Amino acid sequence: MASLTQTTRHRRKLRRSKAGRARKRAQHLHGTTPPFPIHTPEADANKPDEARKED
């Protein structure tokens, strides 16, 4: 039988390794930067003249 000290250390180690696991998984899958619009009407209006040429 394991001593109470070893049992406590093992439980604390498990708790530390599992802490934040759901948050870490969500950030890994979805990233940490919130989505933002890239091509907005304001950005299109501020384009340089060379970029405004339509093909």
Side-chain angles (χ1 to χ4, degrees):
M1 186 168 110
S3 68
L4 289 178
T5 302
Q6 291 300 322
T7 304
T8 302
R9 288 180 181 169
H10 182 67
R11 287 178 180 169
R12 287 177 180 167
K13 186 177 179 182
L14 283 177
R15 190 167 59 233
R16 276 196 307 269
S17 67
K18 289 186 177 184
R21 185 176 284 188
R23 178 191 60 83
K24 290 174 191 175
R25 181 182 295 120
Q27 286 185 350
H28 177 73
L29 293 175
H30 303 291
T32 58
T33 305
F36 56 91
I38 297 173
H39 299 289
T40 61
E42 296 84 16
D44 291 340
N46 290 332
K47 281 194 232 178
D49 290 336
E50 294 108 16
R52 291 186 189 191
K53 294 179 183 174
E54 303 280 337
D55 288 333

